[in-house]
Amino acid sequence: MIKRIALLAASCFVVLAASAQLTITGTVTDEQDQPLVGANVVIDHTLLGVMTKNDGTFILKNLPPGKYTLFFSFLGYQKLEYPLDLAEPAKLRIRLKPSEIMGDEVIIRGSRASQKDPVTYTNLSYEDIHTDIQTRDIPFLLLNTPSVVATSDAGTGVGYSALRIRGTDASRINVTINGVPFNDSESHEVYWVDVPDIVSSTDNIQIQRGVGSSTQGAAAFGANINFQTIALNPTPNIDVNTTAGSFNTWKTSLNAGTGLINDHFSMDVRLSKIHSDGFIDRASTDLGSAYISGGYFSKKNIIKATFFTGKERTYQAWGGVPSEMLQTNRTFNPYTYKNEVDDYQQDNAQVHWSSQFSQYLDFSLALHYTGGSGYYEQYREGEKLSDYLISPVILGGDTITQSNLVRRKWLNNHFYGGVYTVNYHRKTFSATAGGGINQYAGDHYGRVIWAQFASDAGTDQEYYFSRGIKTDANQFVKINYQFLHKAGLYADMQYRLINYRITGIDDNLSNITQNHQYHFLNPKFGLTYDISDNQRTFVSYSIAHREPTRSNFVDAPANQVIRPEILRDLELGYQLVVRPVSVNLTLYWMDYTDQLILTGQINDVGAPIMVNIPSSFRSGVESAVRINPVKSVQLEFNLTISRNKIRNFTEYVDDWDTGLQRTTTLAVSNLAFSPDIITGGRLTWLIFSDLRFILDSRYVGRQYIDNTSDLTRSLNPYWVNNISFSWTLKPSKINEMVLFLQINNLLNHQYETNAWVYSYYYEGQRSKIDGYFPQAGINFMGGIRVRL
C-alpha cells in the first residue's frame, strides 16, 4: 500500500512538473518581414540561448512560469530587450530595426567562418571570456574548447605559456587580431607574454580547427585563432578589477570608455599590471600593458584606430626540472644568475576603415604596424673568447682563452603592411575576396656586456649580427552558394607569395646568407546539408602549404634542402540541436607530406635540426556537447580521441664513444606532444541569479617527448580540476560589483605539461639529459571587479 501511495505521489509530481514547463516560440525578422537567420535569442540571468533557424524561427523549451527578459540581436541591427511574463506558452513575432551605425563585427567578417561554412569552429562570446576575472594567459582561457593543451614555464599560467591544438604547436596556428596577421614572420610563433592582458580588451574569439577558411598571415596547419578587440559600447563605462593569489600573483587593470559621443565618436582605454613570483624558483614575471582605441562610426562607415603595447620582463625558467628531481624538488630552476631574464617590448598599431556600399556589399581595409625590441640575458661559464670575437688575454706568462661572461641576445623587428576584404552576401549566395601585403624586417645580434677576462673588448662587444627581410603577399576568394534549399556549396582559393632573405652571421659565427621564394596555392572545398531544422552536416577538403621557419633554414646543414610542409585536411561534421541539448561531432584526417620534426639529427656544428619526414598524419574524432537541463544549470563536455603517427620514422642518437650517430628505424611511431585522448567538462550553476559556481575538469592522455614512442621519454596523463565562485552585487551608484574566488588544481595533482630530452650513448649505454615543466599544485586566486 505504501509503495502504491509513493508511486502515485511520484506520478503526480511528474505530471505537475511537466505541466509547469512552458515553451516560447517565435520568429525574428527585419522590418520588411524577411527572416533573420542566425539571430541570437538569450534569456537574461539564465544559461539559456538559441539561434534562429533558416526561416527565422526559434524555440525555448522547458521553462517554468515567471517573469523573463529576452534579448534579441543580429549583426547590423539594434539589440532588442523584450520583457515577458510567462504564464502560458508564448508565441512571439520580433522585428529588429537596422542599426543607426555599423557594427564593429564587419571588421573581422572576412576572417570568420559562418554557420553556413563547412568549417570546424568554436566561438567564445564576450560573456564566455569575461565570466571570470582572467589573470592567466590566453592558452589557459582556451582550455575549455576541444583538442587544446596548454603549458606554462613558470607553472602558474602567467608569463611564458603556450598551447597546442590537435597536437599542433603554436608555430602552425594562424592568429589574427581584428583580421590583422599576428604570428611572428620568422618563427611563426605567437608569444602571448608580449601582449599581456589582451584578454581584458577582447570582445570575442573564434577558434577554427584544422586548415579552416582562408585568412591573413601564416599558414594554418592545426588551427586559426581570430580575435576581435573591444567592440563599440554606446554607453560610458568604467571597469576596474584587481586580483591576488598564490605565489604572489596579482593583477590590476582599469578599463574605461566614453560611449558614443555626438552619435558618432567613441574611445576606449585600458591599463594593466600583472606580477607573479611563479611556482618554479625565481620564475618571476612582471608585465605591463596598455590599450587605446578610438573611432568614428556612422550608418555606412567606420574609421577606427587601435593601439596596444606590452612590456614583459620574465626570469628564465626554460631549463626545466631534470626527471630525477621531480619527486624531490619540483620547483628546481637551473638558472641562478640574478639577471637571467627575458626583457621585451612590443607595440601594435592598427587603423581600420570599413564601409557598407549597399545592403549586400561591404568593404574593410586595415593598415598595421608592429614593432618589437628586447633581449634575453645569460651568464655563461668558461666560454671560449674566440667564439665572441675577443682576443686571448695574456696574464704574466699565461694565455687565457676562456672566460666567464654575461651576454645578451637581441631582437629588433618591424612588421607592417595592409590587408583588405570585400564581402558580398545575399540570402543564397555570399562571397568574400581578401588579400594583403606585409613586410617584416628583423635584426638579430649578440653582445657581451661583461667578461671576467675581456682583453681589448669593449663593454658592449657585438659578436654576431644578421638580418631577415620577409615579404608575404596573399589573395583569396571564398564563395558559399545555397544551390538547394537545404544544401550549400563552399569553395575557397588562396594564393601566397613569400620572399625571404637572410643576411649576416649567426651566433655560432657561421655565414647564414640565403634567399628563398615560394608560390603556394591553397584550395578548399566543402558541402553543407541541413538534414532537418535541427540537424546539419558538412564535409570539406583543404590543402595548405607552410614555409620553413628561420631556425629551420639557419640550423640546416649547408648541403641539405629544407622543403615546405604540405597538409591535406579532410573534415566531416555533424550538428544536432534539440533543446536543451546541442551536439557537435567532427571526424578529421590530416595527412602531411614533408612535415618538419626533430629526429635527433644534428648539423655541422652539432646542433639539433628539424628535418622533413616523408609521411605522417593526424586522425581523430572531436565532440562537443552542451546541455541545459534547467535554466540555472549548464553542462559542457568535449572529447577528442585521435591517432597521431609517423610512417617509417628513423631516429638518430649521438654516440659519445665514437663521435658518430646511431640510427633506429620504426615502422610507425607517435608524433611528439600529441595525446591520443583529450577531454574536458564544465558545470555552470547559477545557485542564485547573482551567485555563479563553475567546475572545470580536464584530462590529457600520455604525451611522448620525442618521436620514438618510448615510455621513459613521455609525460604521464593528468587530470586537473578547478572551481570558481562569482557573486554579483548591484549596490547604489555602482552598475555592478563582482566578487570572485578561484581554486586551481583542486585535488593538488602533481603533473607536467611539457618537457625536452636529449639522448646519447656513452660506454655502450643509452642515457638522457632532460627537463620537465611541473605545474603548480592547489593554488588560489581571488578578486573584485567594479563596473561604473
Side-chain angles (χ1 to χ4, degrees):
M1 185 65 170
I2 295 177
K3 290 182 179 180
R4 291 181 179 180
I5 293 174
L7 181 60
L8 178 61
S11 301
C12 292
F13 176 80
V14 169
V15 171
L16 288 171
S19 66
Q21 303 302 300
L22 302 175
T23 299
I24 302 174
T25 59
T27 304
V28 181
T29 68
D30 62 15
E31 290 185 311
Q32 285 72 47
D33 288 330
Q34 294 300 308
L36 296 177
V37 181
N40 290 303
V41 184
V42 177
I43 301 179
D44 195 26
H45 290 106
T46 75
L47 300 170
L48 302 178
V50 296
M51 296 179 68
T52 56
K53 301 175 184 177
N54 289 337
D55 56 358
T57 61
F58 69 91
I59 182 169
L60 292 162
K61 298 180 179 179
N62 304 322
L63 299 173
K67 294 183 178 181
Y68 295 90
T69 301
L70 280 70
F71 287 96
F72 298 87
S73 61
F74 188 73
L75 177 63
Y77 290 79
Q78 297 179 29
K79 188 175 184 179
L80 176 66
E81 181 178 341
Y82 191 95
L84 177 65
D85 191 350
L86 189 65
E88 59 185 19
K91 188 172 184 178
L92 308 179
R93 187 167 186 84
I94 304 298
R95 290 184 176 90
L96 297 183
K97 297 180 180 180
S99 176
E100 294 300 320
I101 58 175
M102 283 182 66
D104 287 21
E105 294 88 349
V106 70
I107 291 175
I108 48 89
R109 180 184 288 168
S111 61
R112 292 291 177 95
S114 72
Q115 193 177 17
K116 295 181 180 181
D117 294 340
V119 175
T120 305
Y121 68 90
T122 299
N123 287 331
L124 296 180
S125 67
Y126 182 91
E127 290 74 20
D128 295 327
I129 296 167
H130 297 280
T131 295
D132 299 336
I133 303 173
Q134 296 293 335
T135 304
R136 298 192 295 176
D137 296 336
I138 288 291
F140 291 85
L141 172 66
L142 304 185
L143 268 180
N144 292 315
T145 63
S147 302
V148 173
V149 175
T151 184
S152 166
D153 283 6
T156 57
V158 179
Y160 267 94
S161 61
L163 81 161
R164 291 176 178 265
I165 299 179
R166 291 186 179 176
T168 300
D169 65 28
S171 68
R172 293 168 170 88
I173 297 174
N174 171 277
V175 177
T176 59
I177 296 181
N178 299 326
V180 171
F182 199 66
N183 297 69
D184 177 77
S185 293
E186 292 192 302
S187 69
H188 302 184
E189 295 267 5
V190 169
Y191 299 99
W192 303 105
V193 72
D194 295 337
V195 281
D197 203 28
I198 189 65
V199 63
S200 289
S201 298
T202 298
D203 185 82
N204 60 79
I205 303 172
Q206 183 177 88
I207 306 104
Q208 301 176 14
R209 294 181 294 280
V211 171
S213 61
S214 287
T215 185
Q216 305 290 345
F221 259 50
N224 291 301
I225 304 176
N226 301 311
F227 289 78
Q228 182 183 3
T229 56
I230 293 300
L232 172 66
N233 185 341
T235 59
N237 59 90
I238 297 177
D239 188 330
V240 182
N241 73 70
T242 184
T243 62
S246 303
F247 314 111
N248 192 26
T249 301
W250 54 266
K251 165 187 160 182
T252 299
S253 68
L254 168 66
N255 293 264
T258 63
L260 201 58
I261 301 174
N262 296 329
D263 297 326
H264 288 297
F265 299 94
S266 176
M267 179 172 288
D268 295 279
V269 298
R270 172 184 57 80
L271 297 172
S272 300
K273 183 68 176 177
I274 301 174
H275 172 84
S276 178
D277 288 346
F279 169 68
I280 301 299
D281 296 340
R282 297 176 298 283
S284 61
T285 299
D286 283 292
L287 310 174
S289 67
Y291 171 93
I292 183 169
S293 180
Y296 168 82
F297 300 83
S298 69
K299 192 171 184 177
K300 298 291 186 180
N301 290 278
I302 296 175
I303 300 175
K304 189 174 183 179
T306 299
F307 174 80
F308 52 100
T309 181
K311 178 66 164 64
E312 61 90 5
R313 185 177 174 88
T314 58
Y315 194 94
Q316 295 172 29
W318 307 335
V321 179
S323 54
E324 63 268 18
M325 298 180 66
L326 286 174
Q327 302 304 317
T328 58
N329 187 2
R330 294 181 60 79
T331 65
F332 173 79
N333 188 342
Y335 302 123
T336 57
Y337 169 58
K338 67 177 182 179
N339 206 41
E340 195 97 6
V341 297
D342 181 75
D343 190 302
Y344 190 82
Q345 178 165 334
Q346 182 170 288
D347 304 318
N348 306 269
Q350 302 176 354
V351 178
H352 295 267
W353 170 44
S354 296
S355 184
Q356 185 172 358
F357 299 136
S358 71
Q359 180 182 356
Y360 310 109
L361 183 66
D362 59 70
F363 168 83
S364 290
L365 171 69
L367 303 177
H368 65 88
Y369 169 78
T370 298
S373 180
Y375 61 86
Y376 65 90
E377 185 171 319
Q378 294 178 308
Y379 175 81
R380 308 289 290 184
E381 293 184 353
E383 294 286 279
K384 292 181 179 179
L385 292 175
S386 59
D387 289 343
Y388 297 87
L389 305 181
I390 300 175
S391 302
V393 177
I394 307 299
L395 287 180
D398 297 328
T399 301
I400 297 175
T401 60
Q402 294 182 319
S403 175
N404 300 333
L405 53 83
V406 177
R407 69 186 186 190
R408 285 180 176 175
K409 291 191 172 183
W410 281 84
L411 172 63
N412 290 332
N413 54 14
H414 307 273
F415 178 60
Y416 48 88
V419 298
Y420 81 94
T421 58
V422 180
N423 301 293
Y424 178 79
H425 46 92
R426 298 294 293 263
K427 185 175 181 180
T428 60
F429 178 83
S430 63
T432 295
I437 182 167
N438 308 290
Q439 187 167 68
Y440 170 92
D443 294 338
H444 304 255
Y445 55 96
R447 289 176 174 170
V448 177
I449 64 171
W450 173 87
Q452 184 178 3
F453 303 102
S455 181
D456 54 354
T459 57
D460 213 11
Q461 164 79 5
E462 184 172 289
Y463 64 99
Y464 75 91
F465 180 93
S466 67
R467 172 169 293 169
I469 304 290
K470 186 174 186 179
T471 302
D472 185 343
N474 79 92
Q475 177 66 53
F476 61 84
V477 177
K478 297 186 280 191
I479 295 174
N480 200 318
Y481 174 53
Q482 296 293 119
F483 64 93
L484 294 174
H485 175 64
K486 294 186 175 184
L489 181 65
Y490 175 88
D492 180 339
M493 177 64 77
Q494 182 195 54
Y495 165 72
R496 286 184 72 205
L497 166 64
I498 300 160
N499 195 311
Y500 182 34
R501 178 169 176 79
I502 306 172
T503 59
I505 304 298
D506 199 22
D507 59 357
N508 61 10
L509 305 186
S510 62
N511 189 320
I512 56 173
T513 298
Q514 52 194 285
N515 191 70
H516 305 275
Q517 187 174 95
Y518 300 102
H519 300 268
F520 294 145
L521 278 178
N522 300 315
K524 308 169 183 69
F525 303 97
L527 182 70
T528 61
Y529 183 75
D530 295 328
I531 302 171
S532 64
D533 287 344
N534 55 14
Q535 295 184 85
R536 173 180 173 269
T537 187
F538 74 82
V539 62
S540 67
Y541 180 75
S542 308
I543 299 176
H545 297 76
R546 173 183 176 269
E547 74 277 17
T549 67
R550 179 184 189 274
S551 61
N552 295 151
F553 289 127
V554 168
D555 294 339
N559 61 347
Q560 184 165 337
V561 176
I562 302 297
R563 297 182 298 276
E565 300 174 307
I566 304 173
L567 168 62
R568 299 167 184 86
D569 181 21
L570 177 64
E571 309 256 338
L572 175 63
Y574 171 78
Q575 182 183 61
L576 170 67
V577 180
V578 181
R579 297 296 169 184
V581 179
S582 66
V583 178
N584 286 276
L585 184 68
T586 303
L587 303 175
Y588 64 88
W589 175 273
M590 301 168 66
D591 193 77
Y592 298 85
T593 299
D594 289 333
Q595 184 174 186
L596 284 160
I597 68 168
L598 290 169
T599 64
Q601 284 182 264
I602 57 176
N603 61 13
D604 304 335
V605 295
I609 60 173
M610 298 186 78
V611 300
N612 297 108
I613 56 170
S615 181
S616 55
F617 69 89
R618 303 181 189 276
S619 63
V621 55
E622 291 172 334
S623 63
V625 180
R626 176 176 293 183
I627 306 172
N628 292 101
V630 294
K631 70 175 185 178
S632 61
V633 174
Q634 180 171 281
L635 298 170
E636 298 170 88
F637 173 78
N638 62 74
L639 171 67
T640 301
I641 300 175
S642 63
R643 298 178 71 242
N644 309 276
K645 303 292 184 180
I646 304 170
R647 304 180 181 98
N648 299 315
F649 173 70
T650 300
E651 180 196 22
Y652 296 79
V653 181
D654 288 350
D655 190 329
W656 289 9
D657 299 323
T658 64
L660 303 175
Q661 287 195 306
R662 297 190 187 188
T663 61
T664 304
T665 300
L666 303 172
V668 178
S669 66
N670 291 285
L671 280 163
F673 301 107
S674 301
D676 290 345
I677 181 169
I678 305 170
T679 183
R682 166 173 282 195
L683 164 65
T684 304
W685 177 25
L686 294 179
I687 302 174
F688 305 108
S689 62
D690 55 2
L691 181 60
R692 182 188 301 259
F693 167 79
I694 296 177
L695 167 64
D696 285 321
S697 188
R698 195 75 171 168
Y699 175 85
V700 177
R702 183 172 300 279
Q703 301 177 70
Y704 293 97
I705 304 169
D706 61 18
N707 295 292
T708 62
S709 306
D710 193 302
L711 287 175
T712 64
R713 298 186 293 279
S714 68
L715 297 170
N716 291 325
Y718 58 87
W719 178 42
V720 180
N721 298 275
N722 308 320
I723 64 171
S724 65
F725 297 88
S726 58
W727 184 21
T728 303
L729 305 173
K730 295 190 176 181
S732 61
K733 299 183 180 181
I734 294 178
N735 183 35
E736 182 179 82
M737 181 169 66
V738 180
L739 303 177
F740 168 76
L741 173 66
Q742 185 174 50
I743 305 175
N744 298 312
N745 197 357
L746 181 66
L747 302 179
N748 199 32
H749 183 61
Q750 291 191 353
Y751 67 107
E752 299 80 44
T753 54
N754 198 12
W756 60 268
V757 64
Y758 166 70
S759 296
Y760 62 93
Y761 283 94
Y762 179 64
E763 294 183 348
Q765 299 295 317
R766 180 161 180 162
S767 302
K768 64 179 179 177
I769 303 171
D770 56 23
Y772 285 70
F773 296 89
Q775 304 300 287
I778 186 170
N779 62 96
F780 305 86
M781 184 64 63
I784 182 172
R785 178 172 62 207
V786 178
R787 290 177 173 171
L788 303 176

